[in-house]
Structures are given as C-alpha cells and as structure tokens.
Amino acid sequence: MAQERADRILDAAAELLIQHGYRKVTIDDIARRAAIGKGTVYLHWRTKRQLFEALLLREAVAYLETLLEELRRDPATVLPHRLLPFSFIDIQNRPVLQVLITGDTRPLQGMLADRPLQSQELLAATRMFDLMVGHGLLRADVPNLSYAMSALNGGFYLIDELDPQAAELDRQAKAETMAFVVRHALEPATPPPAEELAEAAAEFIAVFENLIQPYRDLIYAS
C-alpha cells in the first residue's frame, strides 16, 4: 500500500516535471495531481529534492529491469549494435530519462548536482565498457575507442535538436540506422561465439543488478 502510494506520487511528479520543470513544481502541485494531502507526500520524502531524486532512480530501475529481461531472453543483445539501439528505443519512451540522456537539463535545473549514487553509475559505465572490450565485442583498432563509442551513441540522442529533418525519422528507423553504424564502425567483422556472448551477458547482468538494489533502497527509503 505504501509503495503504491509512493508510486502514485512519483507518477504525478514525473508529469509535472516534464510540463513545468523542477524549479516551478511544488509539493502542493504534486499532492493535488496525485489527489492526496500534502502531508502524505512528506511521509515518503522530507524534501522536494529527495522526491525528485527518487523519481530519477525509479526511472533508471525501470530501464535497467527492461534491459536485464532482454539480456536474459537473448544474450546476443549484449552486442553493441543491439544493446545501444535497444536502449535508444526504450529511453525514447521514458521522458524523464530522456532529458538526462539528451542533456536538455532545463526540466531538472536546480537539482542535478550531487545526485545519489553518481560515482557508482560512473564505475558501472566504466565496467560495462571494459567488459565489451574484454569479450571482443568492440574492435581493438579504433582510436580513442571509448570516446568514439560515446560520441556515436550520444549523437543519436542529440541530433534532433540540431537537424529538424532528423526529427522526421521515426524511432525504429533511427534505431536501425544506429545498429548499422555501430556494427560497421565499432564491432569486429566476425562476432564472438555464442558461449562468449552468454558469458558477457551474464557479467553485464551482474553489473546492472548491483545498481538496482541500492536504487530501490533510496527510492522507498521512508
């Protein structure tokens, strides 16, 4: 019951965040949107900042759980040309995460500094890249490989703001283009064998699982 109520509050906060931005939204606004009393919100989070930090973490957990499910279903999803487009499509359906990934921080202005678990997220990202390299999922001859991968991936999220024609492509077409470019620019000509992909997927899953529980602990800390 308490978690259901917390999720209803977070749903309301998400809608208001996208519409008005962090600075303009008040606890009163959130309580009205969730159809509960203001005091009930404070039973879950002591401050507005804590509430919105919980919202960001909940969105991250939802994305990670979706990705884990896909990796368990098909370990070959660990291949970069499948992993990055899968994430691209999923994040397009999550407006709160989208503002983080695209760098459009206007809705979150005033709360992004010193986010909880930020150091763990960076360590996880480094670990994931190291796993890709270690399992032969990425080419070894690409100069500044980590930079190249980040720039390529990030460009697909940012291009709509720079090129109006790009915004006309549907999400699936963009994801398919991303898959083609990643496959031919960053991956070896011959993919690793199935057993190598299964091992890599299992290690990826372990990295993500190590993030999910600490996130949950902070979301529903009350």
Side-chain angles (χ1 to χ4, degrees):
M1 176 63 181
Q3 183 170 329
E4 290 178 4
R5 185 176 61 200
D7 281 326
R8 190 163 81 249
I9 295 168
L10 293 174
D11 289 342
E15 293 171 6
L16 292 167
L17 174 69
I18 299 304
Q19 291 173 7
H20 305 296
Y22 173 77
R23 289 190 185 278
K24 292 185 178 180
V25 178
T26 68
I27 294 294
D28 284 323
D29 296 331
I30 295 168
R32 280 194 297 271
R33 181 66 63 95
I36 60 173
K38 178 179 177 180
T40 303
V41 177
Y42 289 114
L43 292 176
H44 294 273
W45 301 281
R46 292 190 300 274
T47 67
K48 183 178 86 167
R49 183 185 179 88
Q50 288 178 347
L51 189 160
F52 278 98
E53 285 173 347
L55 172 61
L56 296 183
L57 293 174
R58 189 187 68 161
E59 294 297 305
V61 166
Y63 158 70
L64 289 174
E65 288 180 335
T66 301
L67 183 55
L68 287 179
E69 182 179 347
E70 185 64 16
L71 285 167
R72 293 189 183 103
R73 187 190 69 81
D74 183 1
T77 301
V78 77
L79 288 163
H81 80 275
R82 293 186 54 183
L83 183 69
L84 298 184
F86 179 89
S87 296
F88 178 82
I89 290 290
D90 189 75
I91 288 170
Q92 296 297 312
N93 295 320
R94 303 183 191 278
V96 174
L97 284 188
Q98 219 177 333
V99 298
L100 285 176
I101 298 295
T102 60
D104 180 10
T105 59
R106 287 168 296 180
L108 298 171
Q109 189 175 5
M111 70 159 291
L112 278 179
D114 301 321
R115 286 176 49 238
L117 296 181
Q118 195 167 34
S119 61
Q120 279 187 252
E121 292 166 0
L122 293 173
L123 288 172
T126 300
R127 178 66 177 140
M128 286 160 51
F129 177 77
D130 290 343
L131 285 173
M132 285 185 175
V133 173
H135 285 282
L137 307 184
L138 294 168
R139 289 171 54 181
D141 62 337
V142 177
N144 304 305
L145 178 57
S146 177
Y147 169 78
M149 184 173 174
S150 295
L152 190 158
N153 185 45
F156 277 87
Y157 290 93
L158 299 173
I159 189 63
D160 287 2
E161 294 295 322
L162 303 174
D163 180 2
Q165 289 186 339
E168 296 177 4
L169 283 175
D170 63 40
R171 294 173 182 176
Q172 188 59 41
K174 292 175 184 177
E176 290 171 0
T177 303
M178 176 190 278
F180 182 90
V181 174
V182 172
R183 175 71 185 91
H184 292 278
L186 299 180
E187 294 185 23
T190 302
E195 57 269 23
E196 187 78 27
L197 295 179
E199 183 179 339
E203 293 185 42
F204 266 65
I205 288 168
V207 169
F208 293 135
E209 285 179 334
N210 286 337
L211 279 178
I212 286 175
Q213 191 54 54
Y215 278 7
R216 286 196 176 283
D217 291 343
L218 284 171
I219 296 167
Y220 306 109
S222 62

